Amino acid sequence: MTPSLRISGLAFAYPDGYQALFGVNLEIAKGERVALLGPNGAGKTTLVLHLNGLLSGGEGIVEVAGLPVEKQNFAEIRRRVGVVFQDPDDQLFMPTVRDDVAFGPANMGLSGSDLDARVDEALAQVAMSEYADRPPHHLSFGQRRRVAVATVLAMHPEILVLDEPSSNLDPASRRELADILRSLDITLFMVTHDLPYALELCPRSVVLSEGVVVADGPTRDILLNDPLMRANRLELPFGFDPRNVPA
Amino acid sequence: MPSPHTHGHDVGERLFVHRHSTIHRLPAEVKTVAMVLFIFTVIMTPPNQFWAFGLFALMLVAVAAFAKIPARVILPRMLVEVPFIFFALLMPFFGSGPTVEVWGLSLSQAGLLAGWGILIKGTLGVVSSILLAATTPARDLLMGLERLKVPELLVQIASFMLRYTHVVADEMKRMKLARESRGFTATGIRSWPIIAQSGGALFIRSYERGERVHLAMLSRGYTGRLPQLVAVTTTPTDWVTAMSLPAVGLLIALTALWIQR
């Protein structure tokens, strides 16, 4: 089966000469949930921006469900790749929740009752239906993060890409989001510093360091690999032991 | 990160007064056109036809009553006019020509009339806008402008302003708290550089946010146009209802011009 995401030999330098990626290889099968771990400055955000062509022009290939990320495919690529950015205030830019969730599918050409159905479905998936007509800033931070997820779910993406999904969430919102993400039948690629969250949600993890993939394997094995963790400035929270977490 | 707010205090919704009335129900673009035309009829009326302005004012009172917008909502909002009134008040002192004596002050007659004209026309315009904003949600107003073929870029900019005023104000508040937590109190001219720097920082932050928002928009297929999300149909009845206001206004203005002749 065609993988949801295939990255091969991806290298990229910013116009100012700073090279962020040095040949990244990664394949994510359909339905997999994968965490992308790595210290600040490892190139995680740069990698995410390549997945839907917001950054391009370097070496290598990125394919989403077999379709290369190239300018002539951008419309379809951006439907297939749902990126949820870190700050929901960046993601939610329309006057109401409903308008915001409708933005993506409307750009794909949906309208009328089809569009309404998409919006309702996406809001139901993140349990935010009753907030449809509220302006985004009337919602709590956790609710805004969930609406941000709905805005891309409404496009029926092939792969959901989340940048730091648990950041700034209180423990209850963090758990609610985890429940929602687990309930989705979708390929998930999640950039995070929250290692327990990675272990909770993603059976597989990839460690990116200085622009290359330095480890790729079961999340539990990676978190228990002390030398690897130390070498990449990854640390478990105080008192957290992956061995105590039921598989 | 912004604190979770659950109450409406952004510009758009604070102005809207939720009621059920024909005026509330009229499509936004119809109301906007009617208001602009009405203001034009007010402007074309010569200032010395005092009775005409009395009638204009009565018409707006009728609209307010019809839309169930109470005076205690409208009156405080009229304060936005104050800086403009200032200039109108100066005119009698600086006009030329014959003068009149009022409480020992020598005032220009032409200046008085011009000042009155600005004052009353300005006030009627402000009240009309207040009524429009009180009867139309900000989002609908923007969509109405879009349907009136106002350049899309302007509508988009206004719509982002509406969405982000609150976010930026929040950011400003946090910066103020951060300044004060470290012992800063604004005292006179020596604190200006600090405040100016905060302003600069706020600008850079907002600019960067703008870039991030743009990325988020591109990620969801933005190609330069905001999608038309609601199909609003305006009926001829809507237009007739709304246009009755500027129509009566025009009648008054023409009569005033005729008397003036």
Side-chain angles (χ1 to χ4, degrees):
Chain A
M1 199 158 76
T2 326
S4 280
L5 180 68
R6 194 171 77 84
I7 302 174
S8 166
L10 184 66
F12 179 78
Y14 282 94
D16 65 3
Y18 174 74
Q19 183 154 2
L21 300 178
F22 293 83
V24 172
N25 296 301
L26 179 63
E27 207 172 288
I28 298 179
K30 199 171 170 62
E32 249 190 315
R33 289 204 298 262
V34 179
L36 179 65
L37 314 177
N40 288 333
K44 301 189 298 287
T45 304
T46 308
L47 181 60
V48 165
L49 294 178
H50 273 86
L51 301 183
N52 64 0
L54 290 178
L55 282 180
S56 58
E59 296 282 306
I61 359 172
V62 180
E63 280 178 9
V64 179
L67 187 70
V69 178
E70 286 167 4
K71 198 165 174 94
Q72 69 268 23
N73 302 332
F74 275 175
E76 174 59 16
I77 285 294
R78 286 170 186 172
R79 185 196 69 73
R80 291 188 185 185
V81 182
V83 182
V84 179
F85 290 92
Q86 192 174 346
D87 185 347
D89 276 326
D90 295 342
Q91 181 110 20
L92 308 176
F93 43 80
M94 297 289 275
T96 67
V97 166
R98 179 186 301 284
D99 289 354
D100 219 297
V101 177
F103 180 84
N107 281 327
M108 291 157 44
L110 262 65
S111 62
S113 57
D114 294 342
L115 183 60
D116 292 344
R118 273 294 175 92
V119 172
D120 294 341
E121 174 200 47
L123 284 174
Q125 279 177 298
V126 300
M128 286 296 290
S129 303
E130 56 188 300
Y131 297 93
D133 295 309
R134 300 275 278 276
H137 64 259
H138 284 195
L139 309 177
S140 75
F141 195 83
Q143 291 172 327
R144 271 181 281 170
R145 171 85 29 91
R146 267 147 63 189
V147 173
V149 172
T151 63
V152 301
L153 287 180
M155 299 171 78
H156 287 178
E158 163 84 20
I159 177 167
L160 185 61
V161 180
L162 301 155
D163 191 359
E164 294 289 355
S166 62
S167 65
N168 292 303
L169 294 184
D170 58 38
S173 309
R174 183 174 171 279
R175 196 233 341 118
E176 283 161 4
L177 184 65
D179 291 343
I180 287 164
L181 293 177
R182 238 193 314 267
S183 74
L184 301 173
D185 181 21
I186 194 170
T187 311
L188 199 105
F189 189 44
M190 172 173 124
V191 176
T192 188
H193 288 298
D194 185 343
L195 301 177
Y197 215 52
L199 181 63
E200 184 183 349
L201 285 168
C202 303
R204 174 182 163 203
S205 284
V206 174
V207 179
L208 191 70
S209 184
E210 292 174 11
V212 287
V213 172
V214 293
D216 183 347
T219 304
R220 182 179 301 260
D221 296 354
I222 286 180
L223 298 192
L224 289 172
N225 184 340
D226 236 20
L228 174 76
M229 293 279 282
R230 224 186 296 279
N232 294 294
R233 289 184 59 82
L234 295 174
E235 274 180 32
L236 294 169
F238 177 74
F240 180 79
D241 188 343
R243 278 167 296 215
N244 295 338
V245 176
Chain B
M1 285 294 116
S3 51
H5 280 272
T6 43
H7 305 290
H9 21 208
D10 78 320
V11 192
E13 292 136 81
R14 204 175 50 202
L15 293 181
F16 180 65
V17 182
H18 188 88
R19 294 281 186 283
H20 295 278
S21 80
T22 316
I23 295 175
H24 281 77
R25 264 191 305 275
L26 284 174
E29 70 266 38
V30 175
K31 276 187 275 190
T32 308
V33 170
M35 183 202 75
V36 171
L37 290 179
F38 175 73
I39 291 176
F40 272 117
T41 64
V42 171
I43 293 170
M44 65 192 268
T45 307
N48 59 351
Q49 300 298 321
F50 302 105
W51 59 272
F53 295 98
L55 289 184
F56 286 138
L58 273 181
M59 287 170 70
L60 290 183
V61 169
V63 171
F66 211 55
K68 301 169 198 159
I69 309 292
R72 73 183 150 75
V73 169
I74 298 171
L75 294 176
R77 291 184 185 182
M78 287 169 67
L79 287 176
V80 295
E81 205 193 349
V82 169
F84 303 97
I85 289 181
F86 182 71
F87 287 100
L89 291 181
L90 284 181
M91 295 197 74
F93 295 98
F94 296 102
S96 53
T99 57
V100 284
E101 199 83 4
V102 182
W103 295 323
L105 292 170
S106 162
L107 301 177
S108 150
Q109 279 180 6
L112 266 180
L113 198 59
W116 148 259
I118 292 179
L119 185 64
I120 187 67
K121 290 177 182 182
T123 307
L124 290 170
V126 164
V127 174
S128 315
S129 324
I130 291 171
L131 287 174
L132 178 67
T135 55
T136 323
R139 169 177 173 270
D140 295 6
L141 271 179
L142 289 171
M143 293 189 171
L145 289 181
E146 206 170 85
R147 289 193 293 271
L148 287 174
K149 306 282 181 255
V150 170
E152 209 164 351
L153 209 54
L154 291 182
V155 179
Q156 286 184 25
I157 290 171
S159 134
F160 289 132
M161 209 172 77
L162 191 68
R163 168 67 180 91
Y164 286 103
T165 311
H166 183 76
V167 174
V168 173
D170 238 34
E171 210 147 351
M172 200 161 72
K173 245 178 272 165
R174 287 199 304 279
M175 288 170 76
K176 182 168 178 284
L177 287 180
R179 277 199 310 262
E180 285 169 4
S181 312
R182 285 182 284 156
F184 174 84
T185 41
T187 48
I189 198 158
R190 283 203 305 184
S191 13
W192 287 9
I194 309 286
I195 295 180
Q197 277 161 17
S198 305
L202 190 68
F203 174 77
I204 301 285
R205 283 193 200 181
S206 308
Y207 181 82
E208 286 174 346
R209 181 181 296 280
E211 294 198 322
R212 293 198 303 273
V213 171
H214 186 233
L215 285 182
M217 293 173 73
L218 290 176
S219 297
R220 286 194 278 149
Y222 175 72
T223 51
R225 311 197 39 152
L226 288 186
Q228 288 269 354
L229 292 176
V230 271
V232 172
T233 43
T234 45
T235 62
T237 325
D238 291 338
W239 282 104
V240 171
T241 314
M243 286 309 145
S244 58
L245 184 76
V248 175
L250 186 66
L251 209 65
I252 297 172
L254 289 178
T255 316
L257 282 168
W258 185 75
I259 295 174
Q260 169 85 359
R261 186 172 51 103

